[in-house]
Amino acid sequence: PALPPSGSPDPDSAAANLLLAGVLATPIAATWLAWRLLRPVASVYRRGGLSLVGGFASVALWLVATPLLHHRFGRGGLLGFAGLALVLATLLVLGGRAGRRTAA
């Protein structure tokens, strides 16, 4: 369950810092992951462009998913979604490494 809104938000609170870190980290992590997964693309221009599109798409995803998950499942739903995203990203990166090793 969500907490009631406060009359005066505190920009130095842990929640505000976590929100800011997530806002900055999400597109950076998505761009980095897309760059890693697009390694077979020879053109740096195409690889970079597609990676940036992936980073911006992640922003669109969390803009939609965050309020829906928080409203429906609360903080546990948000933490579960973040954990699922981390596990999926890790599997994609490790799967890419394994695929390159077996092809070599």
Side-chain angles (χ1 to χ4, degrees):
L3 296 174
S6 65
S8 59
D10 181 17
D12 294 329
S13 69
N17 290 329
L18 184 61
L19 178 66
L20 181 61
V23 166
L24 296 174
T26 299
I28 292 170
T31 302
W32 175 80
L33 180 62
W35 180 264
R36 300 256 330 191
L37 294 175
L38 289 169
R39 186 169 285 170
V41 176
S43 170
V44 174
Y45 178 77
R46 288 185 179 148
R47 187 176 172 193
L50 290 171
S51 297
L52 287 174
V53 168
F56 286 122
S58 73
V59 172
L61 177 66
W62 64 253
L63 280 174
V64 172
T66 300
L68 295 176
L69 286 170
H70 189 264
H71 177 71
R72 179 79 171 124
F73 301 108
R75 287 184 181 166
L78 292 174
L79 288 173
F81 184 65
L84 179 67
L86 182 63
V87 167
L88 182 62
T90 303
L91 290 175
L92 286 171
V93 169
L94 294 177
R97 286 184 186 167
R100 282 193 301 276
R101 287 184 184 151
T102 57

